[in-house]
Short mmCIF file of all heavy atoms in Angstrom, two decimals:
data_model
loop_
_atom_site.label_atom_id
_atom_site.label_comp_id
_atom_site.label_asym_id
_atom_site.label_seq_id
_atom_site.Cartn_x
_atom_site.Cartn_y
_atom_site.Cartn_z
N MET A 1 68.46 -87.27 13.46
CA MET A 1 69.49 -86.88 12.52
C MET A 1 70.56 -86.05 13.23
O MET A 1 71.73 -86.28 13.03
CB MET A 1 68.85 -86.08 11.38
CG MET A 1 69.85 -85.50 10.41
SD MET A 1 70.81 -86.68 9.45
CE MET A 1 69.57 -87.38 8.43
N LEU A 2 70.16 -85.11 14.04
CA LEU A 2 71.14 -84.26 14.73
C LEU A 2 71.97 -85.05 15.73
O LEU A 2 73.18 -84.82 15.86
CB LEU A 2 70.43 -83.08 15.40
CG LEU A 2 69.70 -82.14 14.41
CD1 LEU A 2 68.90 -81.09 15.16
CD2 LEU A 2 70.67 -81.52 13.43
N ALA A 3 71.37 -86.02 16.40
CA ALA A 3 72.13 -86.89 17.31
C ALA A 3 73.14 -87.71 16.52
O ALA A 3 74.26 -87.96 17.00
CB ALA A 3 71.18 -87.79 18.09
N GLN A 4 72.78 -88.14 15.33
CA GLN A 4 73.70 -88.90 14.49
C GLN A 4 74.88 -88.02 14.07
O GLN A 4 76.02 -88.48 14.03
CB GLN A 4 72.98 -89.45 13.26
CG GLN A 4 73.85 -90.35 12.43
CD GLN A 4 73.11 -90.99 11.28
OE1 GLN A 4 71.93 -90.73 11.05
NE2 GLN A 4 73.79 -91.84 10.56
N ILE A 5 74.61 -86.75 13.77
CA ILE A 5 75.70 -85.83 13.43
C ILE A 5 76.63 -85.67 14.63
O ILE A 5 77.85 -85.71 14.48
CB ILE A 5 75.15 -84.47 12.96
CG1 ILE A 5 74.44 -84.63 11.62
CG2 ILE A 5 76.27 -83.44 12.86
CD1 ILE A 5 73.68 -83.40 11.16
N ASP A 6 76.07 -85.52 15.83
CA ASP A 6 76.89 -85.43 17.04
C ASP A 6 77.80 -86.65 17.15
O ASP A 6 79.01 -86.53 17.43
CB ASP A 6 76.02 -85.35 18.30
CG ASP A 6 75.44 -83.97 18.54
OD1 ASP A 6 76.09 -82.97 18.18
OD2 ASP A 6 74.34 -83.89 19.12
N LYS A 7 77.25 -87.83 16.93
CA LYS A 7 78.01 -89.08 17.04
C LYS A 7 79.13 -89.11 16.01
O LYS A 7 80.28 -89.43 16.34
CB LYS A 7 77.07 -90.27 16.86
CG LYS A 7 77.75 -91.61 16.92
CD LYS A 7 76.73 -92.74 16.73
CE LYS A 7 77.41 -94.08 16.78
NZ LYS A 7 77.62 -94.68 15.48
N LEU A 8 78.82 -88.81 14.77
CA LEU A 8 79.83 -88.85 13.71
C LEU A 8 80.92 -87.81 13.93
O LEU A 8 82.10 -88.09 13.69
CB LEU A 8 79.16 -88.66 12.35
CG LEU A 8 78.25 -89.81 11.90
CD1 LEU A 8 77.45 -89.41 10.67
CD2 LEU A 8 79.05 -91.07 11.65
N LEU A 9 80.55 -86.63 14.37
CA LEU A 9 81.56 -85.61 14.66
C LEU A 9 82.49 -86.08 15.78
O LEU A 9 83.70 -85.91 15.70
CB LEU A 9 80.89 -84.28 15.04
CG LEU A 9 80.24 -83.51 13.90
CD1 LEU A 9 79.40 -82.36 14.45
CD2 LEU A 9 81.28 -83.00 12.92
N GLY A 10 81.92 -86.69 16.81
CA GLY A 10 82.72 -87.21 17.91
C GLY A 10 83.70 -88.27 17.45
O GLY A 10 84.86 -88.29 17.86
N GLU A 11 83.23 -89.16 16.57
CA GLU A 11 84.10 -90.21 16.04
C GLU A 11 85.25 -89.62 15.22
O GLU A 11 86.32 -90.22 15.14
CB GLU A 11 83.29 -91.18 15.18
CG GLU A 11 82.35 -92.05 15.98
CD GLU A 11 81.42 -92.89 15.12
OE1 GLU A 11 81.54 -92.87 13.87
OE2 GLU A 11 80.56 -93.58 15.71
N ALA A 12 85.02 -88.45 14.63
CA ALA A 12 86.05 -87.79 13.82
C ALA A 12 86.93 -86.86 14.66
O ALA A 12 87.81 -86.20 14.12
CB ALA A 12 85.39 -86.99 12.69
N GLY A 13 86.68 -86.80 15.96
CA GLY A 13 87.48 -85.94 16.83
C GLY A 13 87.05 -84.48 16.78
O GLY A 13 87.84 -83.59 17.04
N SER A 14 85.78 -84.25 16.49
CA SER A 14 85.25 -82.89 16.39
C SER A 14 83.95 -82.83 17.19
O SER A 14 83.58 -83.78 17.87
CB SER A 14 85.02 -82.53 14.92
OG SER A 14 84.72 -81.15 14.78
N ASP A 15 83.26 -81.70 17.10
CA ASP A 15 81.93 -81.57 17.70
C ASP A 15 81.20 -80.42 17.03
O ASP A 15 81.76 -79.72 16.19
CB ASP A 15 82.02 -81.36 19.23
CG ASP A 15 82.74 -80.09 19.62
OD1 ASP A 15 82.32 -79.00 19.18
OD2 ASP A 15 83.73 -80.17 20.36
N LYS A 16 79.95 -80.22 17.40
CA LYS A 16 79.12 -79.24 16.70
C LYS A 16 79.59 -77.79 16.88
O LYS A 16 79.21 -76.93 16.11
CB LYS A 16 77.65 -79.40 17.08
CG LYS A 16 77.32 -79.13 18.52
CD LYS A 16 75.87 -79.47 18.78
CE LYS A 16 75.55 -79.50 20.25
NZ LYS A 16 74.20 -80.01 20.48
N THR A 17 80.44 -77.53 17.87
CA THR A 17 80.98 -76.17 18.02
C THR A 17 82.01 -75.86 16.93
O THR A 17 82.39 -74.72 16.76
CB THR A 17 81.63 -75.96 19.40
OG1 THR A 17 82.80 -76.78 19.51
CG2 THR A 17 80.66 -76.25 20.53
N LYS A 18 82.44 -76.90 16.22
CA LYS A 18 83.46 -76.72 15.19
C LYS A 18 82.90 -76.84 13.77
O LYS A 18 83.65 -76.94 12.80
CB LYS A 18 84.58 -77.73 15.41
CG LYS A 18 85.30 -77.50 16.73
CD LYS A 18 86.37 -78.53 16.94
CE LYS A 18 87.04 -78.25 18.29
NZ LYS A 18 87.29 -79.45 19.03
N ILE A 19 81.58 -76.86 13.64
CA ILE A 19 80.97 -76.93 12.30
C ILE A 19 81.22 -75.61 11.59
O ILE A 19 80.93 -74.53 12.13
CB ILE A 19 79.46 -77.23 12.38
CG1 ILE A 19 79.24 -78.63 12.94
CG2 ILE A 19 78.82 -77.11 11.00
CD1 ILE A 19 77.78 -78.97 13.17
N LEU A 20 81.78 -75.70 10.40
CA LEU A 20 82.06 -74.51 9.59
C LEU A 20 80.90 -74.15 8.68
O LEU A 20 80.62 -72.97 8.44
CB LEU A 20 83.33 -74.73 8.76
CG LEU A 20 84.58 -75.11 9.56
CD1 LEU A 20 85.71 -75.48 8.62
CD2 LEU A 20 84.97 -73.98 10.50
N SER A 21 80.24 -75.17 8.14
CA SER A 21 79.09 -74.93 7.27
C SER A 21 78.20 -76.16 7.24
O SER A 21 78.64 -77.27 7.55
CB SER A 21 79.55 -74.59 5.85
OG SER A 21 80.18 -75.70 5.25
N ALA A 22 76.95 -75.93 6.87
CA ALA A 22 75.99 -77.02 6.76
C ALA A 22 75.10 -76.76 5.55
O ALA A 22 74.72 -75.62 5.29
CB ALA A 22 75.14 -77.12 8.02
N THR A 23 74.80 -77.83 4.84
CA THR A 23 73.82 -77.78 3.76
C THR A 23 72.71 -78.75 4.14
O THR A 23 72.98 -79.92 4.42
CB THR A 23 74.43 -78.18 2.41
OG1 THR A 23 75.56 -77.34 2.14
CG2 THR A 23 73.42 -78.01 1.29
N ILE A 24 71.51 -78.23 4.17
CA ILE A 24 70.36 -79.03 4.59
C ILE A 24 69.43 -79.19 3.39
O ILE A 24 69.09 -78.20 2.73
CB ILE A 24 69.62 -78.35 5.77
CG1 ILE A 24 70.58 -78.18 6.95
CG2 ILE A 24 68.39 -79.16 6.16
CD1 ILE A 24 70.04 -77.36 8.08
N TYR A 25 69.05 -80.43 3.14
CA TYR A 25 68.17 -80.74 2.01
C TYR A 25 66.82 -81.20 2.55
O TYR A 25 66.76 -82.10 3.38
CB TYR A 25 68.79 -81.86 1.16
CG TYR A 25 70.15 -81.51 0.64
CD1 TYR A 25 71.29 -81.87 1.35
CD2 TYR A 25 70.31 -80.80 -0.55
CE1 TYR A 25 72.56 -81.55 0.88
CE2 TYR A 25 71.57 -80.47 -1.02
CZ TYR A 25 72.69 -80.85 -0.30
OH TYR A 25 73.94 -80.53 -0.77
N LEU A 26 65.77 -80.55 2.10
CA LEU A 26 64.40 -80.91 2.49
C LEU A 26 63.61 -81.28 1.24
O LEU A 26 63.70 -80.59 0.22
CB LEU A 26 63.71 -79.72 3.16
CG LEU A 26 64.23 -79.24 4.50
CD1 LEU A 26 63.51 -77.98 4.92
CD2 LEU A 26 64.06 -80.32 5.55
N PRO A 27 62.78 -82.31 1.31
CA PRO A 27 61.94 -82.62 0.16
C PRO A 27 60.78 -81.63 0.00
O PRO A 27 60.21 -81.51 -1.06
CB PRO A 27 61.44 -84.03 0.45
CG PRO A 27 61.52 -84.18 1.92
CD PRO A 27 62.66 -83.31 2.36
N ASP A 28 60.48 -80.90 1.08
CA ASP A 28 59.37 -79.94 1.06
C ASP A 28 59.75 -78.74 1.92
O ASP A 28 59.90 -78.86 3.14
CB ASP A 28 58.11 -80.60 1.60
CG ASP A 28 56.89 -79.70 1.59
OD1 ASP A 28 57.01 -78.49 1.26
OD2 ASP A 28 55.80 -80.20 1.92
N MET A 29 59.93 -77.58 1.30
CA MET A 29 60.29 -76.37 2.06
C MET A 29 59.20 -75.96 3.04
O MET A 29 59.44 -75.14 3.92
CB MET A 29 60.63 -75.22 1.12
CG MET A 29 61.99 -75.37 0.45
SD MET A 29 63.37 -75.51 1.60
CE MET A 29 63.59 -73.80 2.06
N GLY A 30 58.03 -76.56 2.94
CA GLY A 30 56.98 -76.33 3.93
C GLY A 30 57.39 -76.81 5.31
O GLY A 30 56.80 -76.42 6.31
N ASP A 31 58.41 -77.66 5.38
CA ASP A 31 58.92 -78.16 6.66
C ASP A 31 60.04 -77.30 7.23
O ASP A 31 60.62 -77.62 8.27
CB ASP A 31 59.44 -79.60 6.48
CG ASP A 31 58.35 -80.57 6.11
OD1 ASP A 31 57.19 -80.35 6.53
OD2 ASP A 31 58.65 -81.56 5.41
N PHE A 32 60.36 -76.18 6.56
CA PHE A 32 61.49 -75.36 6.97
C PHE A 32 61.35 -74.83 8.40
O PHE A 32 62.32 -74.87 9.17
CB PHE A 32 61.70 -74.19 6.00
CG PHE A 32 62.84 -73.30 6.40
CD1 PHE A 32 64.15 -73.69 6.16
CD2 PHE A 32 62.62 -72.09 7.04
CE1 PHE A 32 65.22 -72.89 6.54
CE2 PHE A 32 63.68 -71.27 7.41
CZ PHE A 32 64.97 -71.68 7.16
N ALA A 33 60.19 -74.33 8.77
CA ALA A 33 60.02 -73.76 10.11
C ALA A 33 60.27 -74.80 11.20
O ALA A 33 60.95 -74.53 12.20
CB ALA A 33 58.63 -73.15 10.26
N GLU A 34 59.77 -76.02 11.00
CA GLU A 34 59.98 -77.09 11.97
C GLU A 34 61.45 -77.47 12.04
O GLU A 34 62.01 -77.65 13.13
CB GLU A 34 59.15 -78.31 11.58
CG GLU A 34 59.23 -79.46 12.55
CD GLU A 34 58.37 -80.64 12.12
OE1 GLU A 34 57.63 -80.55 11.14
OE2 GLU A 34 58.47 -81.66 12.81
N LEU A 35 62.10 -77.58 10.90
CA LEU A 35 63.53 -77.88 10.86
C LEU A 35 64.32 -76.78 11.55
O LEU A 35 65.20 -77.05 12.36
CB LEU A 35 64.02 -78.01 9.42
CG LEU A 35 65.54 -77.94 9.32
CD1 LEU A 35 66.16 -79.29 9.51
CD2 LEU A 35 65.99 -77.26 8.09
N ASN A 36 64.01 -75.54 11.25
CA ASN A 36 64.74 -74.41 11.80
C ASN A 36 64.64 -74.38 13.33
O ASN A 36 65.62 -74.09 14.02
CB ASN A 36 64.23 -73.10 11.19
CG ASN A 36 65.25 -72.00 11.29
OD1 ASN A 36 66.43 -72.21 11.01
ND2 ASN A 36 64.80 -70.83 11.68
N LYS A 37 63.48 -74.71 13.84
CA LYS A 37 63.28 -74.74 15.30
C LYS A 37 64.21 -75.80 15.93
O LYS A 37 64.88 -75.53 16.93
CB LYS A 37 61.82 -75.05 15.62
CG LYS A 37 61.48 -75.05 17.08
CD LYS A 37 60.00 -75.31 17.29
CE LYS A 37 59.66 -75.39 18.75
NZ LYS A 37 58.24 -75.67 18.98
N ALA A 38 64.26 -76.98 15.34
CA ALA A 38 65.13 -78.04 15.86
C ALA A 38 66.60 -77.66 15.71
O ALA A 38 67.40 -77.88 16.62
CB ALA A 38 64.85 -79.35 15.12
N TRP A 39 66.96 -77.07 14.57
CA TRP A 39 68.35 -76.66 14.32
C TRP A 39 68.80 -75.63 15.34
O TRP A 39 69.87 -75.74 15.93
CB TRP A 39 68.46 -76.11 12.90
CG TRP A 39 69.83 -75.65 12.54
CD1 TRP A 39 70.30 -74.36 12.56
CD2 TRP A 39 70.93 -76.45 12.09
NE1 TRP A 39 71.60 -74.31 12.15
CE2 TRP A 39 72.02 -75.59 11.86
CE3 TRP A 39 71.10 -77.81 11.87
CZ2 TRP A 39 73.25 -76.05 11.42
CZ3 TRP A 39 72.33 -78.26 11.43
CH2 TRP A 39 73.39 -77.39 11.21
N GLU A 40 67.99 -74.61 15.57
CA GLU A 40 68.36 -73.55 16.51
C GLU A 40 68.47 -74.06 17.94
O GLU A 40 69.28 -73.56 18.72
CB GLU A 40 67.38 -72.39 16.41
CG GLU A 40 67.56 -71.60 15.12
CD GLU A 40 66.63 -70.41 14.99
OE1 GLU A 40 65.84 -70.13 15.91
OE2 GLU A 40 66.71 -69.75 13.95
N ALA A 41 67.69 -75.06 18.29
CA ALA A 41 67.79 -75.65 19.63
C ALA A 41 69.05 -76.51 19.76
O ALA A 41 69.58 -76.68 20.85
CB ALA A 41 66.55 -76.49 19.93
N TRP A 42 69.54 -77.04 18.64
CA TRP A 42 70.68 -77.95 18.64
C TRP A 42 72.02 -77.23 18.60
O TRP A 42 72.94 -77.61 19.31
CB TRP A 42 70.55 -78.92 17.46
CG TRP A 42 71.66 -79.88 17.31
CD1 TRP A 42 71.92 -80.98 18.09
CD2 TRP A 42 72.67 -79.87 16.29
NE1 TRP A 42 73.03 -81.64 17.63
CE2 TRP A 42 73.51 -80.98 16.51
CE3 TRP A 42 72.94 -79.03 15.22
CZ2 TRP A 42 74.60 -81.27 15.70
CZ3 TRP A 42 74.02 -79.32 14.41
CH2 TRP A 42 74.83 -80.43 14.65
N VAL A 43 72.16 -76.20 17.77
CA VAL A 43 73.45 -75.52 17.66
C VAL A 43 73.72 -74.70 18.93
O VAL A 43 72.80 -74.16 19.53
CB VAL A 43 73.56 -74.60 16.41
CG1 VAL A 43 73.48 -75.40 15.14
CG2 VAL A 43 72.52 -73.51 16.41
N PRO A 44 74.97 -74.63 19.34
CA PRO A 44 75.30 -73.84 20.53
C PRO A 44 74.98 -72.35 20.30
O PRO A 44 75.22 -71.82 19.21
CB PRO A 44 76.81 -74.04 20.70
CG PRO A 44 77.11 -75.30 19.96
CD PRO A 44 76.14 -75.34 18.82
N ALA A 45 74.46 -71.70 21.30
CA ALA A 45 74.11 -70.28 21.21
C ALA A 45 75.32 -69.46 20.78
O ALA A 45 76.42 -69.65 21.30
CB ALA A 45 73.58 -69.77 22.55
N GLY A 46 75.13 -68.61 19.81
CA GLY A 46 76.19 -67.74 19.33
C GLY A 46 77.19 -68.42 18.41
O GLY A 46 78.16 -67.80 18.01
N GLN A 47 76.98 -69.68 18.07
CA GLN A 47 77.92 -70.42 17.23
C GLN A 47 77.23 -71.05 16.03
O GLN A 47 77.57 -72.15 15.60
CB GLN A 47 78.64 -71.49 18.04
CG GLN A 47 79.52 -70.92 19.11
CD GLN A 47 80.34 -72.00 19.80
OE1 GLN A 47 80.26 -73.18 19.52
NE2 GLN A 47 81.17 -71.57 20.73
N CYS A 48 76.25 -70.38 15.49
CA CYS A 48 75.52 -70.92 14.35
C CYS A 48 76.40 -70.83 13.10
O CYS A 48 76.83 -69.75 12.72
CB CYS A 48 74.22 -70.14 14.16
SG CYS A 48 73.03 -70.99 13.14
N PRO A 49 76.69 -71.97 12.47
CA PRO A 49 77.56 -71.96 11.29
C PRO A 49 76.83 -71.43 10.05
O PRO A 49 75.60 -71.32 10.06
CB PRO A 49 77.91 -73.44 11.10
CG PRO A 49 76.71 -74.16 11.63
CD PRO A 49 76.26 -73.32 12.80
N ALA A 50 77.59 -71.13 9.02
CA ALA A 50 76.98 -70.79 7.74
C ALA A 50 76.10 -71.97 7.33
O ALA A 50 76.47 -73.12 7.52
CB ALA A 50 78.06 -70.55 6.70
N ARG A 51 74.92 -71.66 6.78
CA ARG A 51 73.97 -72.72 6.47
C ARG A 51 73.19 -72.37 5.22
O ARG A 51 72.79 -71.23 5.02
CB ARG A 51 73.01 -72.92 7.63
CG ARG A 51 71.99 -74.02 7.41
CD ARG A 51 71.00 -74.08 8.53
NE ARG A 51 70.00 -73.04 8.36
CZ ARG A 51 68.94 -72.89 9.16
NH1 ARG A 51 68.77 -73.68 10.19
NH2 ARG A 51 68.08 -71.94 8.94
N ALA A 52 72.95 -73.38 4.41
CA ALA A 52 72.06 -73.25 3.26
C ALA A 52 71.02 -74.36 3.38
O ALA A 52 71.34 -75.48 3.75
CB ALA A 52 72.82 -73.38 1.96
N THR A 53 69.79 -74.02 3.09
CA THR A 53 68.71 -75.02 3.08
C THR A 53 68.07 -74.98 1.70
O THR A 53 67.68 -73.91 1.23
CB THR A 53 67.67 -74.71 4.16
OG1 THR A 53 68.31 -74.63 5.43
CG2 THR A 53 66.59 -75.78 4.21
N VAL A 54 67.99 -76.16 1.08
CA VAL A 54 67.44 -76.24 -0.27
C VAL A 54 66.41 -77.36 -0.35
O VAL A 54 66.46 -78.32 0.41
CB VAL A 54 68.55 -76.48 -1.32
CG1 VAL A 54 69.50 -75.31 -1.37
CG2 VAL A 54 69.31 -77.75 -1.04
N GLU A 55 65.48 -77.20 -1.27
CA GLU A 55 64.50 -78.24 -1.53
C GLU A 55 65.07 -79.18 -2.58
O GLU A 55 65.61 -78.74 -3.60
CB GLU A 55 63.19 -77.62 -2.03
CG GLU A 55 62.08 -78.62 -2.19
CD GLU A 55 60.74 -77.95 -2.46
OE1 GLU A 55 60.69 -76.74 -2.73
OE2 GLU A 55 59.73 -78.67 -2.41
N ALA A 56 64.99 -80.49 -2.31
CA ALA A 56 65.57 -81.47 -3.23
C ALA A 56 64.89 -82.82 -3.06
O ALA A 56 64.34 -83.12 -2.00
CB ALA A 56 67.06 -81.61 -2.96
N SER A 57 64.97 -83.63 -4.08
CA SER A 57 64.56 -85.03 -3.96
C SER A 57 65.64 -85.74 -3.15
O SER A 57 66.83 -85.60 -3.45
CB SER A 57 64.45 -85.67 -5.34
OG SER A 57 63.43 -85.06 -6.09
N LEU A 58 65.24 -86.48 -2.14
CA LEU A 58 66.20 -87.15 -1.27
C LEU A 58 66.44 -88.59 -1.71
O LEU A 58 65.74 -89.11 -2.59
CB LEU A 58 65.74 -87.07 0.18
CG LEU A 58 65.50 -85.65 0.71
CD1 LEU A 58 65.17 -85.69 2.19
CD2 LEU A 58 66.67 -84.74 0.44
N ALA A 59 67.39 -89.25 -1.09
CA ALA A 59 67.82 -90.59 -1.49
C ALA A 59 66.71 -91.64 -1.38
O ALA A 59 66.68 -92.59 -2.13
CB ALA A 59 69.02 -91.02 -0.67
N ALA A 60 65.82 -91.45 -0.43
CA ALA A 60 64.70 -92.39 -0.25
C ALA A 60 63.42 -91.58 -0.02
O ALA A 60 63.47 -90.52 0.61
CB ALA A 60 64.98 -93.31 0.92
N PRO A 61 62.31 -92.07 -0.51
CA PRO A 61 61.06 -91.31 -0.38
C PRO A 61 60.61 -91.04 1.05
O PRO A 61 59.91 -90.07 1.31
CB PRO A 61 60.03 -92.16 -1.12
CG PRO A 61 60.73 -93.33 -1.69
CD PRO A 61 62.14 -93.31 -1.23
N ASP A 62 61.03 -91.90 2.00
CA ASP A 62 60.60 -91.69 3.38
C ASP A 62 61.54 -90.78 4.17
O ASP A 62 61.28 -90.47 5.32
CB ASP A 62 60.43 -93.03 4.10
CG ASP A 62 61.67 -93.89 4.08
OD1 ASP A 62 62.49 -93.74 3.14
OD2 ASP A 62 61.85 -94.71 4.99
N TYR A 63 62.64 -90.32 3.57
CA TYR A 63 63.53 -89.38 4.25
C TYR A 63 62.85 -88.02 4.36
O TYR A 63 62.24 -87.55 3.42
CB TYR A 63 64.84 -89.20 3.48
CG TYR A 63 65.83 -90.34 3.59
CD1 TYR A 63 65.50 -91.55 4.17
CD2 TYR A 63 67.11 -90.20 3.10
CE1 TYR A 63 66.41 -92.59 4.25
CE2 TYR A 63 68.03 -91.23 3.18
CZ TYR A 63 67.67 -92.42 3.77
OH TYR A 63 68.58 -93.43 3.84
N LYS A 64 63.01 -87.39 5.50
CA LYS A 64 62.45 -86.06 5.74
C LYS A 64 63.50 -84.97 5.64
O LYS A 64 63.18 -83.80 5.46
CB LYS A 64 61.78 -85.99 7.12
CG LYS A 64 60.65 -86.97 7.30
CD LYS A 64 59.47 -86.62 6.45
CE LYS A 64 58.31 -87.55 6.72
NZ LYS A 64 57.30 -87.47 5.71
N VAL A 65 64.79 -85.35 5.82
CA VAL A 65 65.87 -84.36 5.78
C VAL A 65 67.20 -85.09 5.53
O VAL A 65 67.36 -86.23 5.95
CB VAL A 65 65.93 -83.54 7.10
CG1 VAL A 65 66.23 -84.41 8.29
CG2 VAL A 65 66.93 -82.39 7.00
N GLU A 66 68.10 -84.42 4.84
CA GLU A 66 69.49 -84.85 4.73
C GLU A 66 70.33 -83.63 5.09
O GLU A 66 70.00 -82.51 4.68
CB GLU A 66 69.83 -85.34 3.33
CG GLU A 66 69.18 -86.66 2.98
CD GLU A 66 69.59 -87.19 1.62
OE1 GLU A 66 70.59 -86.69 1.04
OE2 GLU A 66 68.91 -88.09 1.12
N ILE A 67 71.39 -83.84 5.85
CA ILE A 67 72.24 -82.73 6.28
C ILE A 67 73.69 -83.09 6.01
O ILE A 67 74.16 -84.17 6.39
CB ILE A 67 72.06 -82.41 7.78
CG1 ILE A 67 70.59 -82.08 8.08
CG2 ILE A 67 72.98 -81.27 8.20
CD1 ILE A 67 70.29 -81.89 9.55
N GLN A 68 74.39 -82.18 5.37
CA GLN A 68 75.83 -82.32 5.13
C GLN A 68 76.52 -81.25 5.93
O GLN A 68 76.17 -80.06 5.84
CB GLN A 68 76.13 -82.14 3.64
CG GLN A 68 77.60 -82.13 3.32
CD GLN A 68 77.86 -81.77 1.85
OE1 GLN A 68 76.96 -81.77 1.04
NE2 GLN A 68 79.09 -81.48 1.55
N VAL A 69 77.51 -81.62 6.74
CA VAL A 69 78.27 -80.64 7.51
C VAL A 69 79.75 -80.72 7.18
O VAL A 69 80.26 -81.79 6.85
CB VAL A 69 78.07 -80.77 9.03
CG1 VAL A 69 76.62 -80.57 9.43
CG2 VAL A 69 78.58 -82.09 9.56
N VAL A 70 80.42 -79.59 7.28
CA VAL A 70 81.86 -79.50 7.18
C VAL A 70 82.31 -78.93 8.53
O VAL A 70 81.81 -77.89 8.96
CB VAL A 70 82.31 -78.56 6.03
CG1 VAL A 70 83.82 -78.41 6.02
CG2 VAL A 70 81.81 -79.09 4.69
N ALA A 71 83.23 -79.65 9.18
CA ALA A 71 83.67 -79.23 10.50
C ALA A 71 85.19 -79.30 10.61
O ALA A 71 85.82 -80.12 9.96
CB ALA A 71 83.04 -80.10 11.58
N ALA A 72 85.73 -78.46 11.47
CA ALA A 72 87.15 -78.51 11.78
C ALA A 72 87.38 -79.61 12.82
O ALA A 72 86.47 -80.02 13.52
CB ALA A 72 87.61 -77.16 12.33
N LYS A 73 88.60 -80.03 12.92
CA LYS A 73 88.93 -81.06 13.90
C LYS A 73 89.59 -80.43 15.11
O LYS A 73 90.23 -79.45 15.07
CB LYS A 73 89.87 -82.08 13.27
CG LYS A 73 90.10 -83.28 14.12
CD LYS A 73 90.77 -84.36 13.34
CE LYS A 73 90.98 -85.55 14.25
NZ LYS A 73 91.58 -86.65 13.57
#
């Protein structure tokens, strides 16, 4: 998922250093620690954007996470 975000940001002329905010949807908040570990390894040090993580039913039952980002260009 994070690699896909990198790709889409690049196609839009942006990158993860320009993310202004992120909303992360998890079907089970029990997965928060694992998600947080991956997120912290992915975002550039000292440039963690505003973030909200919520528990929600996702678009497909086999999805583990959905992430929405807003980034500057």
